[in-house]
Amino acid sequence: MNTNRLPASKAREKFADILNEVSVRGDRVVLERHGKMVAAVISVADLQLLEALEDKYDVDSAREALAESDRRIPWKELKQRLGL
């Protein structure tokens, strides 16, 4: 898997090629503007992995927060507060 850097102005010209690099070969393309990284084009597999990692981090953070607090809200009260 390669990570390529490309000026955003050139990305417009090579968009189809970039999509092929990313989707077929699994490369990552970092777009630059004025020499600074501004965005990345990644495969759907990479995006799904990133989202799974974010979800795990959120769950772990929530568990830590719950462990630090002894205050609990009963399910019925929570549903009422949320209007469910």
Side-chain angles (χ1 to χ4, degrees):
M1 175 181 338
N2 293 323
T3 300
N4 302 313
R5 295 176 122 190
L6 188 66
S9 58
K10 293 238 187 233
R12 286 186 208 106
E13 300 166 11
K14 297 181 62 173
F15 190 68
D17 293 333
I18 291 170
L19 291 180
N20 284 334
E21 290 175 21
V22 169
S23 64
V24 175
R25 296 196 327 231
D27 290 354
R28 298 170 180 157
V29 179
V30 175
L31 304 179
E32 298 177 336
R33 186 174 280 158
H34 306 293
K36 293 184 181 180
M37 296 185 289
V38 294
V41 182
I42 60 172
S43 69
V44 171
D46 280 354
L47 176 62
Q48 290 170 337
L49 176 60
L50 179 60
E51 289 175 340
L53 290 170
E54 288 175 332
D55 289 346
K56 181 174 178 359
Y57 177 80
D58 289 345
V59 168
D60 290 347
S61 295
R63 285 190 177 132
E64 286 177 22
L66 285 172
E68 292 174 3
S69 172
D70 57 353
R71 185 173 188 291
R72 301 289 186 262
I73 301 171
W75 178 241
K76 284 185 178 183
E77 182 182 335
L78 180 60
K79 286 193 324 186
Q80 186 178 17
R81 284 187 191 183
L82 296 175
L84 300 175

